[in-house]
Amino acid sequence: MKLAADQGMSNGGSGAKRRRDAKEKGRRRSGGGGGGGGVVRRTRKRVLLRTPEPAPLLQRLFAACRDVFRGPGTVPAPDDVALIRAILDEMGPGDVNLSAEQKFFKATDDDAALQRPLAITRTTIYTCTNFSIVIFFLPPTAVIPLHNHPGMTVFSKLLLGSLHIKSYDWAQPAVFAAGSAPDDRPARLAEVVLDRGFSAPSDTLVLYPAAGGNMHRFTAATPCALLDVLGPPYSEDRDCTYYQDFPYDSHCAGDDIAQLRHGGMEMEDIESINGRRRLEWLKETAMPEDLEMYEMQYRGPPIL
């Protein structure tokens, strides 16, 4: 009996040991510790971060204009001008849903001759007090007459087509032509800044309130799309003035007007300047009666 008891005790001890070993293995599998309060092992999921796509160029242009233009009476700093110019230099017709395959851009001179007067179309992408973004559509031979941009900084980017640009800045100090009627504004001496043709794609042009060709005329050689950024835009208080240009030899400088108003320049000085730079006379005129310009709803990519 004693032997049987010893054997039972031995068997009971072995069973208890097996149960402890099994329990310990279970804890190890589940990551548990003593007393059932172990740390649960967690697996980390690998997440692949996608590089965000760059914003569309039109959206970048809008964001830059919103940051750069501060309203009337301000001119963007050189770094800000470089920023907007760089964005516009990258832009093409596709960025505003235009294509050379569209019907308008396949028009010929013969087609344009049937449309008199030639209508220029404008579509406004965005406008506010500080700036506006617009596109002008010019049929072949259409002309945007010589006009100014008072207190404005303007970026012009030719998206499609070919055109001729002639632009001026006022000669300094101011010189006026003689022989004008008392109630008539005399012609004023101006310096030619640009007088040549451009074809898309071309670099962005920039004009300032008193430099860069603030007064300009566009003449379309082919159907054109011209993207303009104006800061600030035209308004009731800031309208454009139209001009007619005359060769330098067509007028003589009025010494009395120039000297009385601005301390003036001697004729020898003017002749010397004209020898180094191209000078012409500009005279204010009414808006041409045959100028036809229509507004068209913008149908390109939206600005968010």
Side-chain angles (χ1 to χ4, degrees):
M1 294 296 295
K2 184 176 180 181
L3 179 59
D6 289 340
Q7 289 175 343
M9 291 175 62
S10 176
N11 291 338
S14 297
K17 185 175 183 303
R18 286 194 295 273
R19 286 192 296 274
R20 286 196 302 272
D21 290 345
K23 188 174 181 180
E24 182 63 27
K25 288 180 180 179
R27 281 199 296 266
R28 284 199 295 269
R29 290 195 187 102
S30 63
V39 177
V40 179
R41 181 180 298 169
R42 298 177 180 175
T43 58
R44 294 182 178 179
K45 294 183 179 180
R46 297 182 64 185
V47 179
L48 297 178
L49 298 177
R50 300 178 63 181
T51 303
E53 295 183 0
L57 286 171
L58 182 59
Q59 186 67 37
R60 288 170 52 194
L61 176 64
F62 167 73
C65 291
R66 186 179 52 191
D67 293 340
V68 166
F69 290 108
R70 301 297 181 182
T74 62
V75 177
D79 288 347
D80 292 333
V81 170
L83 171 64
I84 295 178
R85 180 181 237 158
I87 296 173
L88 285 168
D89 282 344
E90 290 187 59
M91 292 185 68
D95 293 301
V96 287
N97 281 5
L98 295 179
S99 167
E101 298 305 312
Q102 291 169 327
K103 183 178 179 180
F104 174 83
F105 298 105
K106 289 183 171 293
T108 64
D109 291 344
D110 292 337
D111 296 330
L114 299 176
Q115 306 173 21
R116 294 293 179 183
L118 294 173
I120 298 168
T121 306
R122 177 184 61 201
T123 184
T124 301
I125 299 175
Y126 180 85
T127 187
C128 64
T129 303
N130 291 351
F131 69 93
S132 64
I133 305 173
V134 300
I135 303 175
F136 292 93
F137 299 94
L138 287 74
T141 73
V143 178
I144 297 180
L146 184 61
H147 63 284
N148 71 344
H149 305 81
M152 301 161 67
T153 303
V154 181
F155 298 78
S156 296
K157 167 70 176 184
L158 184 61
L159 297 174
L160 286 166
S162 299
L163 53 72
H164 185 274
I165 300 176
K166 189 171 186 180
S167 64
Y168 300 85
D169 285 324
W170 294 122
Q172 296 297 334
V175 177
F176 296 89
S180 300
D183 58 347
D184 190 18
R185 294 192 178 184
R188 181 175 171 181
L189 199 63
E191 179 180 355
V192 177
V193 176
L194 282 175
D195 188 9
R196 65 184 181 91
F198 292 83
S199 295
S202 62
D203 292 339
T204 303
L205 299 176
V206 186
L207 65 82
Y208 303 90
N214 184 274
M215 298 160 287
H216 63 202
R217 174 173 58 235
F218 295 134
T219 304
T222 67
C224 294
L226 182 72
L227 175 62
D228 267 8
V229 176
L230 304 94
Y234 289 112
S235 66
E236 292 184 1
D237 299 328
R238 191 173 39 259
D239 200 1
C240 69
T241 300
Y242 293 93
Y243 298 92
Q244 185 176 359
D245 50 352
F246 300 94
Y248 173 77
D249 293 338
S250 65
H251 291 72
C252 63
D255 293 336
D256 55 338
I257 297 177
Q259 290 173 2
L260 284 173
R261 293 186 184 176
H262 299 281
M265 298 174 66
E266 298 297 332
M267 285 300 298
E268 307 84 67
D269 297 330
I270 298 173
E271 296 291 351
S272 176
I273 292 175
N274 196 35
R276 300 190 304 270
R277 299 177 298 185
R278 184 176 165 191
L279 300 177
E280 296 185 5
W281 299 98
L282 301 187
K283 182 178 177 61
E284 289 188 23
T285 186
M287 184 181 76
E289 294 181 359
D290 61 349
L291 177 61
E292 298 280 349
M293 189 171 296
Y294 299 97
E295 185 76 24
M296 179 178 69
Q297 183 178 0
Y298 173 64
R299 294 184 174 88
I303 288 178
L304 304 178

